[in-house]
């Protein structure tokens, strides 16, 4: 009994035309806790297009978050709540600020959004700084955990490198295990959400979760390739020219 994971990032057409690499990053993993329970960790980051090293910032954010979770698992400490969410954001900021200092740049040069989901049998934690979204189902159907953040002006948002990132950090806790999870950057946001009501567009998600549920063990390796193909497809690129990331987890009892 564990989660089936599929996640990928694909460069947007606007970046492809300019030869700019994808500035999104994502990661997901299932660890075994000391009591034998599985722990889902899933993180997504989107480097700011206005930041010189936004893509590197996104990668550093994911690395820092994954490293902190690995440390917590090893220590056997695990409370899924606001304290952990804050610790993750602080670890991300520490890693990015250290990289900026080494390169004699400003942290703002590594600006990125950051979203995460952690889940065990005893609960689920969602954390978010910036736009993009997390959709979860803990037994009552799909819902948007946190309303995607926009900044003071159109096309602006918050970044984990901002001075007020910890204050801006939004969290949502659930008392149950996540049965379905989808986390995505803003390149996928308009396809995945009804923006007027901030609710999941269920026809977008159903094919993914149905495919993950039906895939045999032999077919599981093909799922990521199919996701990459979808993210780079013409119908998707007609809707968005931004980098696209989608990270999915499905509980399989």
């Amino acid at each position: 009994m564990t989660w089936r994971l599929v996640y990928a990032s694909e460069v947007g057409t606007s970046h492809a035309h300019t030869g700019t690499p994808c500035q999104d990053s994502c990661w997901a993993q299932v660890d075994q806790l000391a009591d034998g329970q599985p722990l889902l960790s899933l993180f997504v980051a989107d480097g700011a297009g206005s930041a010189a090293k936004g893509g590197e910032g996104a990668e550093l954010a994911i690395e820092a978050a994954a490293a902190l979770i690995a440390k917590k698992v090893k220590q056997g400490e695990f409370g899924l709540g606001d304290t952990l969410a804050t610790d993750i954001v602080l670890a991300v900021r520490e890693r990015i600020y250290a990289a900026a200092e080494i390169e004699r740049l400003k942290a703002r040069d590594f600006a990125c959004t950051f979203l995460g989901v952690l889940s065990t049998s005893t609960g689920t934690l969602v954390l978010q700084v910036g736009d993009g979204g997390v959709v979860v189902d803990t037994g009552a159907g799909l819902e948007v955990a946190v309303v995607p953040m926009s900044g003071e002006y159109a096309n602006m948002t918050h970044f984990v490198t901002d001075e007020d990132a910890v204050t801006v950090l939004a969290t949502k806790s659930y008392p149950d295990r996540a049965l379905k999870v989808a986390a995505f950057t803003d390149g996928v946001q308009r396809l995945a959400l009804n923006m007027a009501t901030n609710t999941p567009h269920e026809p977008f998600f159903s094919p993914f979760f149905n495919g993950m549920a039906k895939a045999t063990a032999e077919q599981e390796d093909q799922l990521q390739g199919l996701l990459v193909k979808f993210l780079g497809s013409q119908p998707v690129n007609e809707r968005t020219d931004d980098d696209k990331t989608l990270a999915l987890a499905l509980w399989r009892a």
Side-chain angles (χ1 to χ4, degrees):
M1 296 191 296
T2 187
W3 284 274
R4 176 168 272 177
L5 308 174
V6 186
Y7 53 98
S9 298
E10 181 70 7
V11 68
T13 53
S14 62
H15 284 178
H17 289 153
T18 59
T20 307
C22 181
Q23 292 179 308
D24 284 4
S25 191
C26 62
W27 175 87
Q29 183 167 299
V30 177
D31 290 296
Q32 207 77 10
L33 297 175
D35 61 2
Q37 287 290 329
L39 163 74
L40 168 68
S41 306
L42 185 152
F43 300 113
V44 165
D46 178 3
S50 59
K53 302 247 181 186
E56 289 182 37
E59 289 180 12
L60 290 169
I62 300 294
E63 289 172 10
L68 180 67
I69 295 305
K71 182 180 176 184
K72 294 278 189 186
V73 169
K74 192 173 181 181
Q75 291 173 342
E77 306 171 13
F78 243 93
L80 297 183
D82 286 354
T83 299
L84 177 61
T86 301
D87 286 348
I88 292 171
V89 170
L90 290 174
V92 167
R93 286 171 59 80
E94 185 179 346
R95 177 71 69 90
I96 290 176
Y97 273 71
E101 188 174 347
I102 289 170
E103 296 194 38
R104 296 185 179 180
L105 295 169
K106 294 178 180 177
R108 178 66 181 78
D109 293 322
F110 295 82
C112 62
T113 62
F114 183 77
L115 302 84
V117 182
L118 296 146
S119 188
T120 70
S121 61
T122 57
T124 298
L125 170 67
V126 177
L127 59 145
Q128 181 163 343
V129 178
D131 54 19
V134 175
V135 168
V136 295
D137 176 2
T138 61
L142 291 175
E143 66 172 271
V144 177
V146 175
V147 174
M149 298 177 189
S150 56
E152 190 177 348
Y153 304 102
N155 297 322
M156 287 187 67
T157 190
H158 297 281
F159 300 111
V160 76
T161 46
D162 293 346
E163 288 184 14
D164 62 351
V166 173
T167 306
V168 167
L169 167 66
T171 64
K172 176 114 184 232
S173 294
Y174 299 85
D176 302 301
R177 173 191 284 122
L179 306 176
K180 297 174 182 175
V181 176
F184 43 89
T185 54
D186 68 328
V188 175
Q189 196 169 310
R190 293 187 180 280
L191 286 75
L193 301 182
N194 180 329
M195 300 298 286
T197 57
N198 283 307
T199 54
H201 181 54
E202 301 231 8
F204 175 83
F205 295 104
S206 295
F208 294 112
F209 290 125
N210 291 341
M212 290 169 72
K214 292 175 183 175
T216 64
E218 292 75 24
Q219 293 170 327
E220 191 169 0
D221 291 342
Q222 301 170 23
L223 292 174
Q224 185 177 10
L226 291 171
L227 178 57
V228 170
K229 187 175 180 181
F230 167 79
L231 292 174
S233 67
Q234 185 175 344
V236 172
N237 286 332
E238 285 174 353
R239 296 281 305 277
T240 176
D241 65 354
D242 199 0
D243 294 339
K244 299 142 293 191
T245 291
L246 180 59
L248 301 154
L250 176 71
W251 175 253
R252 304 196 71 207

